[in-house]
Structure formats: C-alpha cells, structure tokens
Amino acid sequence: MLYERLDKILPNVQKPGRYVGGEYNSVIKDKNKVDIRYAFCFPDTYEIGMSHLGMKILYSLVNAREDAWCERVFAPWTDMEEEMRKNNIPLYGLESLEPIKDFDLIGFTLQYELSYTNVLNMLDLAQLPIKAADRKELTPIVIAGGSCVCNPEPMSEFIDIFLPGEGEEVTNELIDLLKEHKKKGSDKETFIKEAVKIKGVYAPSLYDVSYNEDGTVKEIKARDTAPEKVEKRIVKDLDSMYFPDKFVVPAIEVVHDRTTAEIFRGCIRGCRFCQAGFLYRPIREKSPETVNQQCLALTESTGYDEISLCSLSTSDYTGLPSLLEKLLSWTTDDRINLSLPSLRIDNFSDDLMEKLLEVRRSGLTFAPEAGTQRLRDVINKNITEEEVLSTAKKAFSGGWTAVKLYFMLGLPTETLEDVKGIAELAQKVVNEFYNNPEKPKGKSVSVSVSAASFVPKPFTPFQWEAQATPDELKEKQDYLLESTTTKKVRVSFHKTPTSLMEAVFARGDRRVSAVIESAWKKGCKFDSWDDQFDFDKWVEAFADCGLTMDFYANRKRSFDEVLPWDHMDYGISKAFLIKENEKAHNAQTTPHCREKCAGCGTNKLNGGECHALNKNMVQ
Amino acid sequence: MRLTRIWFSKKGRAKYISHLDLYRTFTRAVRRAGIPLWYTEGFNTHPYITIALPLAIMQESDREAVDIRIENDMANEEIKQKLSATCPEGIEIIDVRKPWDDPKKIAFADYTVMTQFANSDDAKKFEAYILKSLKEEELLVEKMGKKNGRKVMKEVNILPLVNKTELALKGSELRIKMTVAAGSTNNLNPALFIDAVSQKAEFKPLSVNITRNRLLTENLKEFE
Ligand code: SF4
C-alpha cells in the first residue's frame, strides 16, 4: 500500500483529498479473495469523474460480484503528476492505494475527445506501455467504453478492447471470460480472439484498414474470429437493469454531488446535429415506480439533499407527472431539492408548476441552437420562437429573472442572417420580460447566450459535413457580438481551436493515433482545460505525422466514402442518415418519434421494440 | 430542539478532509443515520452544525467536538450508535453528550508532533534548535494579516503562544508534545512552529505528522 509514501508527497499538492480515497460507500475488499481486479479510470480530474453517472453504475455493478473488485482512478492534476514521477509512485486505485499495473482490467470511459491524451498519460503513469501491441501479458487488459467509442479508431493503437454501447451486461460477460482465461493461463491473443465472440466487443487488432491514394479509407477487413460489423450492446429493460443503491460520497466538492436518477435512454427528437440523440436509441423508459424507489434508496444511503433527473430531454419522459408526484410526496419533508435539467416547462400543468416552485428553482435554459426558423428546420430543432417567448413569459411571471440560451455557430447552410437571428431572439426574450406586467418587481433580467461551435459527429445526419474553418467561425463570432446591442444579453463562445481538435478526433481514422501519441510526447494533456490546451503542439504533432487537421475536420465527404467507423453498428441505418441529410439541405423537418417513426433502424437492436412507439407509460 | 455534542477522532485518510468539507461530511453522515436534524426557519433553511475548533487539513486528532441541533426525540446513545455506522473511514465517534463548555472557552490545545530526520544527528541538532528558540525573546514567523483592510504579510512573534513543550528524542525521530494557544483570539498551528525553527536551523524534518490530542480551556482544564 502506498499510503505512507503518499502521505509524504500530498502536502505538496493542491486538493490532496482527490488522491486518497476513503470516501463513504467506497468499497474495500480483500484482494486475496477476488479473481479480477478492475481499475475504472476516468481520464480527467476527480471532481469531474466523480460526477459521472456511468462510472457510478459500473463501479457498483462490478463490486456487486464477489469475485471482482473495482476501484476508481482519475487523472492526477499536473502538480500531483510531478510528485508521482519524482517519487516513482505509479498510478494507483483509490480504494486499495495499490498500483493498477497489477490489476487485471483497466477500463477507461471516453466521454469527450479532448480527454484522449490523458488516457495515454495515465497508462504511462501506471508504468505500462501506452501501446496495446507493447503490452504482451494477458493482464492488464485495457478496455474503453463511453460515447466516443462509436468511432474508436483514433484510440485504436492504445486500447485492447472497446465496448460500444451500454456497458451493464457486457462488462460482466467480459469479466467472466477473463477470469476463465486467467485460470487457464491463456495468452493475450487467445483471450482477445475469444472476447470478440461476445456481442458488442471490438478488438481493433483484429481489423485491417487500407487507404486510398487520396487518404480516405479504402477498406476495413475483419480477421479471424472478429465480426465484420460490431453491433453495440443495449439493455432491453431498464426496470430490471442493474442500478446502484449506493454512490460513493466524496468529501471534497465535486461538480455534481447529488443523487442522479436516469429516467430514460435515447431521445425522440432527432435533432440532426446531436450525436447523443442517435447514439442512445432506441428509446427505453424506466417506470416512475422504479425511478422513485431508486431515488429513495440512493438518498438514504448517501445523505444527499438533492436529486437530479438525468436524460437527454426530461420533459419527453412520459412518466414525468407521475414521477414528480411520487418524488414530491417525500422530498419536501426530507428537505431534498429536485433539479430537472433539460426541462421544457411549456407542457406543465399550473399545479405542477406550483409544486416545482416550492422547491429550489434551477436556472431556466433553452436550446434553440439556431437563430432563425429556417436554420432550425435544417437541424430539425423542433422549437419555435413563439414557444421560447411564451415559455419565457410564463417563467418570468413565475419569478424567474435569468435565462440561458444555447446556440451553435457553423451549422451546415448557416449564413450571417442566421447569426444575426441569435442576437434578435435574445433581444426578444429581454423585451418579453419588460413587457410582462407580472414580472418580478424591482428586478432586472439577464439573458446569457452561449454559442458553441458546431462539430460534425459520427452517426448523425451531418457526419459527412465539413466543419466551418476557424476563420469562418471567428467571423461569425465577431458578427454575433456586433449584432448584440443590449447589456442585458451576455454572449460567450467556445474556443475555436478546441472545437477543431474535437472535429478531428470525432471523425479521425487509425492514423490519428500517431498524432495523439506525438502530441502527448510533446506534453499535451488535459486538452479540455483552457489553461492546459496547447494548440501549437498539436499543429506540430500533425506536421510530424504528415497529416492535416483540415482533412479530418473541414472536408465534406461524399455519401459513398468508406467512413472510418463503418464497421461499428449502432443500429442506425445509413440510408436513414442520408435521407435526413438530404432533408436538412432542403430545410425539411422530420416529426419527432412520438408523432411518427422516422425509421432510424435502432429498434432492430431491441427486437423491433421502441418505447417511443408502443409503450405508453402515462399513468 | 436540543443541542448535542459529538466527540470524534479524525485519523488516517480522514485527515485529508478539510475543515469546510467536514461540515458537508457531517451533515450527510447525520442525514444517513436518520438522526432528526433541526433546521433553521425561513426560505434558505439549513441545519445547525458547529465544529468547536477548526483542525488544519492533514493533521490528525484524537478528540474533536461538533455540536448539532436535533429535534428532541433521539437518545444520545442511539445517536452514537447510528452515527458510528455512517461516518467515512477515519472518523470515529467517541462519545455523544450534552455540551458543557461553550466552544468560545477553548484557549489551548495539546498536540503531538512527530518529526522524522535523515539521521539521529539531524534530529539532535533540531532538538537543540528548538530548545534554543524557546529560550529566546521572540520567534518570528511571517503570517498573512490585515493592515488598513488590505492583505499584507506581517511578522508575528509566536513564542507567547507556546505554553509548554516536551521533547523526546529516539534515534532519527523527534517527538514534540506541546500545549499551544488555540481558539478564535489566539491560535497557533504547530506546523508554523516547526517551520520557524526550520528556518533558524536552515534545514527541515523529512516529514512532520501532527496530531491534536485534546482541547483545553483557559485554566488548562479539559474542554468538556
Ligand atoms: S425506431 Fe423510430 S421511433 Fe424509435 S427512435 Fe428510431 S425513428 Fe424514433
């Protein structure tokens, strides 16, 4: 155990509480009584990783097994990394404080592209070779899951096995298999060849990729036991699915420190830019009874005084009124706040609105995403100006004074007219406040506009589109600032170089692995942190590898180009994506899934079933 | 509603829980234990939880006190039992009882400071420096203070804040037991004392481990 040695270096670092574990509900086991030791790694700081629901679920799921012990690992901040390297302390699990290089499985969750260099850095800190091919032993096997795995290619040099889709079932199957092969004394190759027989397991080493003269992918070929297409895993029934009744309760302050309950997976909206909306299909709901029970158990075991409902679009949950009734029946007495992110309050009854006002109000947010109706039709964002304004009006009457509006710049077909529309819409929200006789007395309104840069992502109808170049984005940002004339509206942007990097990784092929390695060797890490991100090093890394960012980010693809992720099957049919892309360019909308099934194809993953269509859970 | 005082120790990994984080930690532990916390009235309601004397992060303690207000329907023994099960690793509940002294009465605290050196010579040298420092007029340290409302570094003589010291040398290890001023008016963190001596000696211990042993009142009686 490293405790003694850590004790000596921790006085030299900021927030030492990140690095010692010992939190309530963290799981301590006897290492001699388990067969598989699993290091669940989140490639970012403790505060961010500890806020992530997926990690909490898998942590408890693995620890529910008697034969396995899952520990948490986060990326040490630069000061701690320096101390660890100086004192030769390898990356360790927070529970046992033992080096993870001796574990059997090392699992990373890839939630955003800009965490990739941290994965390499963590492997290196663990004192393991960063490349999969250089790790010859059976264990540790390095696996990765999370939404970025839908295009795993840029990370394929470093990871042994990817798990596309939902991890609840496949994690257990993989642990069973590894346990068996450890006993048998198999070698790594044998294990991997067996592992890919499990549905939803992708081992990049068993695929050969060839390229055309112009740099595009020519062919992706599976070898040996590997399937031509890797179908993502989904859990059929969320009510019977494993869900923890305990969360590790951090002592230091983390980003989200509360009970989080998942209410459904997938999204009925079909916004064409939104990867999450397509990746998590088909739609599956959890019943209000189950959610309520899980919230009750979690709040009791954690002592949290806040519950947050988690989904892509909370108000599309058919069980919402029923769930809120149930929750409010005990949360008020127990002094627990409810927070409902991604909520549209327009379809709420006055009664419910009243009840929500009793509990602490979270900020009011809208995501029109585009400034004009035309562009909103292009991206299929089903929200009209009237809806925004009437909801804002209702909210102002209800006492709200701050509104957040989310937009994107650089969307396909966008013109300066559309950019100006953003400023105009924000202005109209401000006017709505001042024209409202029921507005809160003596208060002023604040509207904040956040304009992210659009990043085309795999498995969306825009996966073939070019990202706007940094210059084009800059022009649009400047124009938006020019068009904003009131002080009541505050505008903020995403940094453009970061969005460019995201675009490269999101649609990169295997050759991008070399760029990531080169950038990491130059010192790149924590790229999602503004104060750490070093664009110049990335530029060098691309040059060193003979690749350009432009090729990956700013190039429009044709429908018949082989995409680097074409061997990944997320259930979404390419024909559907092409149709949606064509409709986008004609500014034609597609109705949401409850009105009419758009034929995305994901229901085939669930035996033809999709809760958007045939499950009415309103009670 | 009644006030109850919880005595606890804070050791091992729990020493990394900062004073501020300890409030949140206790609030949650008490909620998990199902102890009926009393909440303030009004819109922004919160529980009443007061820690008698802040303990610096990375220091351990044998005996700390936290006062909580509860609705008057749970016996102290039951609170102890329930809370023992819901505290994180390293925090142990020693006793739960009626508060006797007001936390304002705290004037001193006993500490044990374990210092480790590269060899016994260094340890001996450091011991000599401590003894020498204690005999001098003043021992100055730089402290963040306020002057005309602005933050400035100022020199403070900490010797008057040291009430008693007891040194025990064992090989390369030097144990310092000290009674120092504690509380809201005068307070000395023993780490500061070690730093001041290190500056004089021009070398410092390889490691310093500080444990607070007990809280004392004005006349050096145990705070109850
Ligand atoms: S199967 Fe149809 S209803 Fe279900 S998510 Fe896909 S398009 Fe929507």
Side-chain angles (χ1 to χ4, degrees), chain A residues 267-268 281-283 576 593 596-603 610 612-613:
Chain A
C267 182
I268 64 164
R281 287 182 177 195
I283 286 124
F576 162 79
C593 294
K596 188 168 176 275
C597 171
C600 75
T602 54
N603 55 334
C610 179
L613 296 170

Side-chain angles (χ1 to χ4, degrees), chain A residues 256-433:
Chain A
H256 296 307
D257 203 5
R258 58 194 184 193
T259 292
T260 313
E262 195 184 20
I263 51 179
F264 72 103
R265 288 185 182 173
C267 182
I268 64 164
R269 297 279 154 187
C271 303
R272 291 175 183 136
F273 57 86
C274 176
Q275 189 184 37
F278 295 105
L279 275 195
Y280 302 130
R281 287 182 177 195
I283 286 124
R284 286 144 300 147
E285 294 201 334
K286 218 182 241 190
S287 73
E289 287 76 21
T290 310
V291 179
N292 184 50
Q293 277 312 313
Q294 291 172 345
C295 286
L296 200 59
L298 273 171
T299 1
E300 268 178 21
S301 70
T302 56
Y304 280 146
D305 56 8
E306 185 182 349
I307 296 173
S308 165
L309 301 181
C310 163
S311 70
L312 290 170
S313 164
T314 311
S315 33
D316 287 333
Y317 175 51
T318 54
L320 191 61
S322 153
L323 173 62
L324 286 178
E325 293 284 345
K326 288 186 171 54
L327 287 173
L328 287 165
S329 75
W330 56 274
T331 50
T332 323
D333 283 347
D334 288 357
R335 296 172 196 275
I336 289 161
N337 295 311
L338 283 184
S339 83
L340 312 170
S342 55
L343 185 67
R344 299 172 15 155
I345 53 172
D346 46 328
N347 49 3
F348 273 28
S349 67
D350 287 344
D351 190 34
L352 208 54
M353 182 91 167
E354 198 102 307
K355 277 192 167 154
L356 278 172
L357 282 172
E358 284 170 23
V359 299
R360 187 173 58 186
R361 56 185 64 146
S362 46
L364 184 67
T365 59
F366 295 102
E369 307 291 359
T372 60
Q373 194 56 50
R374 183 200 69 83
L375 194 52
R376 285 194 292 273
D377 288 345
V378 168
I379 62 176
N380 204 39
K381 182 77 200 190
N382 194 356
I383 183 170
T384 62
E385 185 172 303
E386 291 70 53
E387 276 173 315
V388 172
L389 297 181
S390 73
T391 311
K393 182 177 173 194
K394 215 167 166 180
F396 292 145
S397 305
W400 268 276
T401 58
V403 179
K404 267 194 200 149
L405 300 172
Y406 289 100
F407 294 95
M408 273 185 292
L409 287 176
L411 286 163
T413 78
E414 184 183 62
T415 64
L416 289 183
E417 199 52 39
D418 299 307
V419 178
K420 193 177 189 175
I422 296 176
E424 285 169 356
L425 183 54
Q427 180 64 54
K428 283 181 191 154
V429 174
V430 172
N431 297 346
E432 198 60 56
F433 182 84

Side-chain angles (χ1 to χ4, degrees), chain A residues 10 22 35 56 129 136 232 331 339 379 389 418 506 539 547:
Chain A
L10 288 176
D35 299 306
K56 295 172 200 279
K136 311 272 188 211
K232 77 155 181 178
T331 50
S339 83
I379 62 176
L389 297 181
D418 299 307
V539 174
L547 295 169

